[in-house]
Amino acid sequence: MRQKNFFISAIFFLGATSAYPWGQKGHDTVAFIAENHLTQSTREQIDSLLDGRSMVYYANWLDQASHTPEYAYSKTWHYKNIDSDQSFEEAPLLETGDIVRAINEQTLVLTDTTSTKAEKQLALKIIVHLLGDIHQPMHLGHASDLGGNRWTVKYFGRDNNLHSVWDSSLPESAHKWSYTEWQQQVDRVSKDDEAKILDKGNAESWAKETYEICKNVYQTTPEGYKISYDYIAEWTPVIEQQFLRGGLRLADLLNSIFDDSYESKNTIVR
């Protein structure tokens, strides 16, 4: 009986975590890429704020926290829903906030000299997570299907949904790497290509860019679509690209906040 209960619990746990954005591996990868691009000054200040913990340590923290009473206000901060009959600009704004406004608001907390250490620590943990989320295409998905959670597909013959596929199944099928191996393999672009990724970036432009990818995902993955090896081959370069974009932009944003000598490519909200 004990073994049976454990098996049932394991199934429940896997089902619950599969809906988390980018999955743990994706968020860890984005945070680790960012850590490798922090200036010394930024790194020291982040180490102080996080009491010696790394950004990877907190990369998935908000997924858990948003389901607790204390941080329930942040549930809608993970995404911005845009239905197929709406443009990015036409999508209604949720009173509880969305990912674009959340990144901007938490950036203001970090740049405000009157913010306490606790306030800045919380803002940093939120930003680390949301820079991963904003590069996950289904976090700019339709409100009508809950960002792909109600968009049913077959993944190698098994029932699944489009959001879950993009959270974890697709990245894990693309490369069975640790987050350090992901960083080592994808964080290899030239300085010119890195500059293009960072050029004049802000939360709204990143969301719009991801939204264009999301529209293509919907178009090429109709409901009931049978996902197999060809789909993985087609979308693996996009997964790699989005992890790298998230990590480089997170580092650039934090360097621009914490290092006065750093020349940022971001348009910081202040």
Side-chain angles (χ1 to χ4, degrees):
M1 178 63 70
R2 180 180 300 174
Q3 185 177 13
K4 181 179 179 181
N5 288 340
F6 173 80
F7 180 69
I8 292 173
S9 298
I11 291 176
F12 175 80
F13 176 77
L14 290 173
T17 56
S18 67
Y20 288 157
W22 265 151
Q24 181 174 340
K25 186 73 63 65
H27 279 289
D28 288 351
T29 299
V30 168
F32 191 59
I33 290 173
E35 285 187 350
N36 280 270
H37 290 267
L38 298 179
T39 67
Q40 184 62 31
S41 177
T42 300
R43 186 181 302 277
E44 290 173 358
Q45 292 183 68
I46 287 177
D47 284 347
S48 177
L49 274 180
L50 298 182
D51 297 322
R53 302 282 192 187
S54 72
M55 293 196 299
V56 174
Y57 183 88
Y58 287 112
N60 289 275
W61 174 83
L62 192 62
D63 273 335
Q64 310 296 334
S66 291
H67 292 281
T68 66
E70 184 177 2
Y71 300 104
Y73 61 83
S74 67
K75 283 184 179 179
T76 63
W77 292 10
H78 297 257
Y79 57 85
K80 179 179 176 66
N81 284 150
I82 307 159
D83 276 324
S84 57
D85 61 347
Q86 300 167 336
S87 67
F88 184 93
E89 290 77 15
E90 292 170 342
L93 298 177
L94 299 176
E95 291 184 6
T96 49
D98 59 42
I99 193 165
V100 174
R101 284 177 288 162
I103 290 173
N104 288 338
E105 289 167 2
Q106 299 310 304
T107 299
L108 287 173
V109 174
L110 286 179
T111 56
D112 188 346
T113 57
T114 66
S115 297
T116 66
K117 178 180 178 179
E119 290 170 338
K120 288 188 174 185
Q121 183 183 72
L122 176 59
L124 176 58
K125 288 155 64 175
I126 290 172
I127 285 176
V128 168
H129 184 83
L130 295 187
L131 260 289
D133 280 356
I134 203 168
H135 290 89
Q136 206 279 48
M138 301 317 299
H139 279 253
L140 279 296
H142 303 158
S144 57
D145 56 53
L146 304 182
N149 277 291
R150 292 179 177 171
W151 194 274
T152 58
V153 295
K154 292 280 187 180
Y155 196 79
F156 288 91
R158 296 191 176 189
D159 291 337
N160 210 321
N161 67 75
L162 192 56
H163 193 110
S164 179
V165 165
W166 274 83
D167 277 348
S168 299
S169 301
L170 183 54
E172 288 294 336
S173 295
H175 301 294
K176 199 67 175 178
W177 293 334
S178 67
Y179 71 84
T180 57
E181 290 171 321
W182 268 100
Q183 183 274 328
Q184 291 164 4
Q185 297 304 319
V186 305
D187 189 10
R188 292 167 173 254
V189 297
S190 67
K191 289 297 182 182
D192 287 343
D193 286 338
E194 182 177 329
K196 291 176 183 177
I197 291 174
L198 300 179
D199 188 40
K200 297 179 181 178
N202 57 37
E204 184 172 1
S205 68
W206 303 331
K208 287 181 177 179
E209 178 186 72
T210 302
Y211 173 56
E212 292 303 315
I213 298 173
C214 180
K215 289 194 294 184
N216 195 16
V217 171
Y218 274 116
Q219 290 169 2
T220 58
T221 321
E223 287 195 85
Y225 189 81
K226 296 178 181 179
I227 295 175
S228 189
Y229 297 101
D230 56 342
Y231 190 91
I232 295 169
E234 177 183 2
W235 287 106
T236 290
V238 176
I239 296 289
E240 296 170 354
Q241 165 192 274
Q242 292 303 97
F243 282 1
L244 181 60
R245 284 174 172 174
L248 292 179
R249 288 166 176 168
L250 174 58
D252 190 55
L253 176 62
L254 296 177
N255 284 333
S256 68
I257 293 171
F258 292 109
D259 190 340
D260 291 337
S261 66
Y262 181 79
E263 294 185 9
S264 174
K265 300 294 185 181
N266 285 295
T267 306
I268 303 298
V269 175
R270 294 186 185 276

